[in-house]
Amino acid sequence: MLDANIKTQLKAYLEKVTHPIEIVASLDDGDKSREMQALLNDLVGLSDRITLTESRDDAQRKPSFSLNRKGANLGVRFAGLPMGHEFTSLILALLQVGGHPPKVEAELIEQIRNLDGEFHFETYVSLSCHNCPEVVQALNLMAVINPNIRHTMIDGALFQQEVDERKVLAVPMVFLNGQIFGQGRMELGEILAKVDTGAAARDAQKLSAKEPFDVLVVGGGPAGAAAAIYAARKGIRTGIVAERFGGQVMDTLGIENFISIKETEGPKLVMALEEHVKQYEVDVMNHQRAAKIVPGDLAEVQLENGGSLKAKTVILATGARWRNMNVPGEKEFSGKGVAYCPHCDGPLFKGKRVAVIGGGNSGVEAAIDLAGIVSHVTLLEFAEDLRADAVLQKKLYSLPNATVIKNAQTTEVTGNAKVSGLMYQDRASSETHWIELEGIFVQIGLLPNTDFLKGTIELTRFGEVIIDAKGHTSVPGLFAAGDCTTVPYKQIIIAMGEGAKASLSAFDHLIRSSAPA
């Protein structure tokens, strides 16, 4: 099952295991069970601390297997082969069940231990989803730490009947005690905030008690990380407050235009950014959403949890989010056929008819990728011509199961419990048409995350923060950088440069405002 190179690497990892691991497999006579049996046999052969038995419990999904520690009652289970992006989840689970300490703050571990109640989590994933592993790994860790928590990873492509019955049309989708708990990427802190009802109030109190910062960066994407590093290198008190460290880059799969690195993935780049930031004395306050900014000699950043932070200067680097179509039915069927990540959710639509909205590079790339999975893909573009690179257009037009409709304005998403199709208007003839579909992937660009800034600083009609060449906003002491601003070309490498520039401008402001008259 595993090649020799992977076995060698995995054997070295498993040497860190200090407690015997029991694997209990629930198998049938299918091909996937035979593959799972081969994988588990490989694991047993790599460490004398791992044993394998087969369960005859018909109540368990087949194929699946649980990981346990002898003498303990841990609740980690994989229903399906944890390969692809989930192979890392399997390795981490083996290490943690085997007693290797996780790289998690002691405060979070204590919070998990103190959770009261019974928590049975189930996470539906696709093995090509790069957002799923973070959720799986967080819930596995919680199950290892707290005996009242159980978690099962479920490969949606393997348990299609469950996916249909539970109407799972986007991954990762998490159920808690049989009810929908959340959908989409979630970090450990976000999950804990949802199950630990007192966490928000405790966080607000701690944040409000912090001393004022010299530079406070709002946003943890490439621009925010660069700004924080440049500020911290000046030896001044620096903080980052972010809803999610890494921002939109965490949802980006392939990155091939980051100069000096031929190819990488968004989560890998974010990990490198986080490690770089942590080399300096930067106070990183993750999973915190800004609600309002009150300018002044000490600007106040008010947070949605009721806490607030003060700073002499603030750098706004809140980035952008996927743009919605804003048509009837889109919001109602989000996660029920309307999706925004073809890499994550595409496998759930295998053999089905889908549409892609948007004819830029992202839209055409999505249509090309989906064509290899679905029965048919229809791309709808608002303009008279596609905007994607010529090489991508040529590839799309060569596909036998792809249709391109230009000059088309989507007017409505239709459906009952899930998407059944969409309505669009031919902009040339004004005729209205309906397409029967089971999935719609929206790829029409980004919107700046600046709603909380309205009425505070000057914004364009598109919501972008208006800045000058040095990152100054319309309010002294407030600076901005990256995709939330008027800077042209929303690219990772440009955002980093803009973040560094805004930080240097903030430092210059601090020097000038503190100098004697």
Side-chain angles (χ1 to χ4, degrees), residues 30-289:
D31 291 340
K32 287 297 180 182
S33 283
R34 283 189 283 273
E35 289 183 44
M36 181 174 287
Q37 180 82 58
L39 170 65
L40 299 180
N41 285 336
D42 282 349
L43 294 177
V44 172
L46 294 174
S47 173
D48 57 6
R49 291 184 178 272
I50 300 177
T51 58
L52 172 63
T53 59
E54 187 172 340
S55 169
R56 298 298 176 183
D57 184 358
D58 290 333
Q60 295 294 346
R61 296 176 178 88
K62 293 181 173 57
S64 69
F65 65 92
S66 64
L67 301 180
N68 206 351
R69 187 183 302 161
K70 287 189 176 180
N73 181 27
L74 308 183
V76 178
R77 177 172 287 274
F78 292 90
L81 281 169
M83 302 302 288
H85 288 292
E86 291 299 343
F87 189 59
T88 302
S89 300
L90 171 61
I91 295 172
L92 286 175
L94 286 166
L95 291 174
Q96 290 162 4
V97 170
H100 188 67
K103 294 182 179 179
V104 177
E105 294 89 342
E107 186 177 356
L108 287 179
I109 291 176
E110 191 61 25
Q111 188 179 357
I112 296 169
R113 283 201 183 103
N114 292 332
L115 287 174
D116 289 326
E118 294 291 328
F119 303 90
H120 179 202
F121 290 98
E122 299 167 291
T123 304
Y124 288 87
V125 307
S126 67
L127 301 183
S128 61
C129 170
H130 60 285
N131 287 325
C132 295
E134 186 157 11
V135 178
V136 171
Q137 291 162 23
L139 291 170
N140 281 346
L141 175 62
M142 290 172 64
V144 170
I145 294 172
N146 189 324
N148 296 321
I149 299 174
R150 316 195 77 73
H151 175 239
T152 303
M153 181 219 81
I154 305 165
D155 179 2
L158 194 57
F159 296 91
Q160 193 63 50
Q161 184 176 345
E162 282 188 45
V163 165
D164 293 338
E165 289 174 353
R166 285 183 143 178
K167 298 180 175 61
V168 177
L169 293 172
V171 291
M173 181 167 283
V174 182
F175 288 78
L176 171 58
N177 298 335
Q179 303 297 317
I180 292 178
F181 174 77
Q183 185 262 315
R185 189 184 199 103
M186 290 182 285
E187 296 180 355
L188 178 60
E190 294 175 273
I191 296 170
L192 284 173
K194 292 186 72 170
V195 295
D196 185 355
T197 54
R202 294 196 302 270
D203 284 347
Q205 188 175 10
K206 289 179 183 177
L207 292 167
S208 298
K210 289 181 181 287
E211 294 293 321
F213 293 92
D214 292 312
V215 173
L216 178 63
V217 182
V218 183
I229 289 169
Y230 265 68
R233 285 175 60 86
K234 298 293 185 182
I236 56 181
R237 180 166 162 73
T238 305
I240 290 181
V241 59
E243 186 173 359
R244 180 178 63 159
F245 193 91
Q248 190 78 9
V249 179
M250 290 294 284
D251 303 323
T252 304
L253 189 58
I255 299 172
E256 299 177 350
N257 57 357
F258 191 80
I259 310 305
S260 81
I261 298 176
K262 292 182 180 179
E263 184 178 355
T264 187
E265 295 179 351
K268 290 182 180 178
L269 180 58
V270 170
M271 188 180 300
L273 283 175
E274 190 169 13
E275 288 176 356
H276 197 172
V277 168
K278 287 182 177 178
Q279 286 185 355
Y280 301 95
E281 293 185 7
V282 177
D283 188 347
V284 179
M285 296 156 281
N286 207 2
H287 313 307
Q288 303 296 338
R289 186 183 178 96

Side-chain angles (χ1 to χ4, degrees), residues 13 253 420 429 490:
Y13 279 119
L253 189 58
S420 64
S429 65
K490 313 304 185 186

Side-chain angles (χ1 to χ4, degrees), residues 356-365 367-368 378-398 402-408 443:
V356 173
I357 312 299
N361 282 349
S362 296
V364 173
E365 286 174 350
I368 292 169
T378 301
L379 184 142
L380 290 91
E381 164 57 33
F382 181 83
E384 295 180 358
D385 295 296
L386 301 183
R387 295 168 285 110
D389 295 341
V391 64
L392 294 174
Q393 292 191 42
K394 183 178 180 181
K395 174 65 176 176
L396 177 63
Y397 282 118
S398 73
T403 301
V404 177
I405 303 175
K406 294 180 282 190
N407 227 8
Q443 301 282 290

Side-chain angles (χ1 to χ4, degrees), residues 314-326:
V314 174
I315 298 174
L316 302 165
T318 50
R321 63 189 183 278
W322 290 115
R323 183 186 297 272
N324 294 321
M325 295 183 292
N326 291 320

Side-chain angles (χ1 to χ4, degrees), residues 435-447:
I435 306 175
E436 184 177 1
L437 300 163
E438 290 159 290
I440 300 170
F441 290 83
V442 183
Q443 301 282 290
I444 55 174
L446 301 170
L447 277 177

